[in-house]
Amino acid sequence: MPLPEKMPLALIEDDEIVRQATSQWLQLDGHQVLEFADGESALNQLPPDFPGIIISDVRLPDIDGMALLPRLLERHPEIPVILITGHGDVDMAVKALRDGAFDFVEKPFDPARLLQTVARALETRRSQTAQQDRHAYLAQAEGLEKVLIGRSEAMVRLRQQLLKVAAIDTNVIIYGETGCGKELVAHCLHQFSTRNQREFVPINCAAIPENLFESELFGHEAGAFTGAVKRRVGKLEYADQGTLFLDEVESMPLNMQVKVLRALQENTVERVGGNRPIHIDLRVIAAAKEDLHHHPEFRQDLFYRLNVAQLYLPPLAERSEDILLLFDHYTHQVNPDTRLPSPSDQQALMRYPWPGNVRELKNIATRFALDPSLTVGEILASRPNLTTEPSSATLPLAIQVQNFERKVIHECLQRHHGSIIDALEELDLPRRTLNQKMQKYGLSRSDYT
């Protein structure tokens, strides 16, 4: 479902003059405001799927904000609730933060301060709503869409092309960068083909020593060479009636390319040390990182034999709208209760260039799901500084600062086992500031006690 560009704000304030003035400030800032003079009216009139945020005074005629808060959160568990408090209500408001309030603003308040808090709450709400939308998509996905996940135009087109190619019993070349999921696509071609009841046989051409390549593909007879104590069926023969997947096919030695070409042309193989041709009927799917047509060490006659159909897998950087969707999918696989990535986490995910593509994203998502103390920025910053991967310096300065600040507060709370008083003394912060930062970074005292 598309996300609303402007989320509504529910304003609960019994003082009509204050309510009207506050509503006017919010409307001038471009917000749609729903006004309520008391808590019960808001509870009765706000729908369960209210898509916005709630701003409520603590002092109300029928029910005070402290009693209203749990009732609001019971009906709207994820909704950000901002409390407006008088000076004497600050301790009460701090307690409300522990009970689930998003933040509080003291009276008399600067409109700019309120608008900043509202902006943060709306950003959090948008993140929640977007994640709910992504989870709904993942839950409803079926068939090929459940395996090749993505709503980007590139992924929609890939799924359409794959189903067409799968139905035609012909050889295919899959192009894509490392980590894009070429073997997964090859497996889908097999599963959606008429050969899906027979074997899918993958072989990585770059991982086989050259002196073992022929035996691996064609098999051998007993006694064919030293160590060949019994007959072995090769990959081509084993894939008979099914699908052979040649990953990193550009790494296949030239002398083997000739033999593979002949086997595909004649539909026969001969085991090493044998004389009897064995008939095979298989479909070959090859995967490569570079264009085989212009590869200096790849035979053009073999290229034309394989290149009956082509599929191109876009790198993750070319389908950025799928990044958060895939991140949610992989974190949920590891831990269904994984915390919501914060706005800064999401910014870090969207800014990172993903040289390792989906494989790298899965690794980051797994670490995020397994260690609640880490932010995405910290995980990315801790990765090896290889020439193919950027260091933390590629992250915006603001995110690096936030990551460092969160780490300092997290480690302080760990040392003091969640004691706020001890943390305040060590960090030399006002209590209100520490509470705001803990709320901002998703840190809860209960996680450390």
Side-chain angles (χ1 to χ4, degrees), residues 270-292:
E270 286 186 15
R271 301 188 188 114
V272 177
N275 296 311
R276 182 175 64 86
I278 302 167
H279 179 77
I280 57 170
D281 172 21
L282 51 80
R283 180 188 205 178
V284 180
I285 301 174
K289 298 189 292 290
E290 49 194 305
D291 185 1
L292 296 178

Side-chain angles (χ1 to χ4, degrees), residues 45-305:
Q45 296 180 42
L46 288 176
D49 58 348
F50 180 64
I53 67 171
I54 297 173
I55 306 169
S56 176
D57 193 6
V58 169
R59 303 293 182 183
L60 294 170
D62 56 340
I63 177 173
D64 67 53
M66 295 299 294
L68 177 62
L69 177 64
R71 294 180 64 184
L72 286 171
L73 294 179
E74 182 181 359
R75 297 191 183 189
H76 314 274
E78 296 181 339
I79 200 163
V81 179
I82 300 171
L83 296 178
I84 299 176
T85 72
H87 180 70
D89 297 328
V90 173
D91 288 341
M92 184 190 303
V94 171
K95 180 181 181 303
L97 289 177
R98 292 197 296 267
D99 292 342
F102 178 82
D103 204 348
F104 65 90
V105 180
E106 279 188 80
K107 289 181 180 179
F109 53 81
D110 178 4
R113 162 85 169 90
L114 176 64
L115 294 177
Q116 288 173 357
T117 305
V118 165
R120 286 193 299 108
L122 286 173
E123 183 62 33
T124 297
R125 188 61 168 151
R126 287 190 187 95
S127 296
Q128 293 170 348
T129 307
Q131 189 181 55
Q132 290 168 358
D133 174 50
R134 295 193 297 270
H135 285 181
Y137 168 82
L138 292 170
Q140 295 168 7
E142 51 187 35
L144 187 58
E145 195 171 10
K146 197 166 186 175
V147 182
L148 297 179
I149 296 169
R151 292 187 288 189
S152 62
E153 182 180 343
M155 288 305 292
V156 172
R157 184 169 57 250
L158 174 64
R159 289 193 294 265
Q160 292 171 344
Q161 292 172 342
L162 188 148
L163 289 174
K164 292 178 181 178
V165 172
I168 305 170
D169 193 28
T170 189
N171 296 336
V172 186
I173 297 179
I174 303 171
Y175 287 108
E177 296 179 3
T178 298
C180 279
K182 297 186 288 293
E183 183 168 350
L184 179 63
V185 169
H187 212 286
C188 289
L189 281 169
H190 175 73
Q191 289 298 321
F192 285 87
S193 75
T194 57
R195 297 177 180 264
N196 59 12
Q197 298 302 310
R198 306 305 293 262
E199 297 293 337
F200 174 81
V201 183
I203 182 167
N204 190 314
C205 298
I208 304 173
E210 188 169 346
N211 62 326
L212 298 179
F213 215 105
E214 185 172 9
S215 174
E216 187 73 18
L217 262 66
F218 293 90
H220 60 257
E221 298 288 352
F225 50 84
T226 303
V229 295
K230 61 180 180 179
R231 174 185 291 174
R232 183 181 185 278
V233 172
K235 298 292 188 182
L236 274 75
E237 185 179 348
Y238 185 62
D240 184 36
Q241 303 296 317
T243 302
L244 178 71
F245 174 53
L246 297 173
D247 197 8
E248 298 191 68
V249 70
E250 68 271 26
S251 302
M252 184 183 294
L254 274 170
N255 65 317
M256 287 306 305
Q257 293 178 30
V258 178
K259 296 180 179 181
V260 170
L261 173 64
R262 181 179 177 183
L264 297 181
Q265 286 176 333
E266 299 180 3
N267 293 321
T268 60
V269 295
E270 286 186 15
R271 301 188 188 114
V272 177
N275 296 311
R276 182 175 64 86
I278 302 167
H279 179 77
I280 57 170
D281 172 21
L282 51 80
R283 180 188 205 178
V284 180
I285 301 174
K289 298 189 292 290
E290 49 194 305
D291 185 1
L292 296 178
H293 185 35
H294 299 100
H295 196 287
E297 296 184 0
F298 198 83
R299 293 181 61 95
Q300 291 301 289
D301 45 7
L302 178 57
F303 165 74
Y304 290 119
R305 173 65 59 175

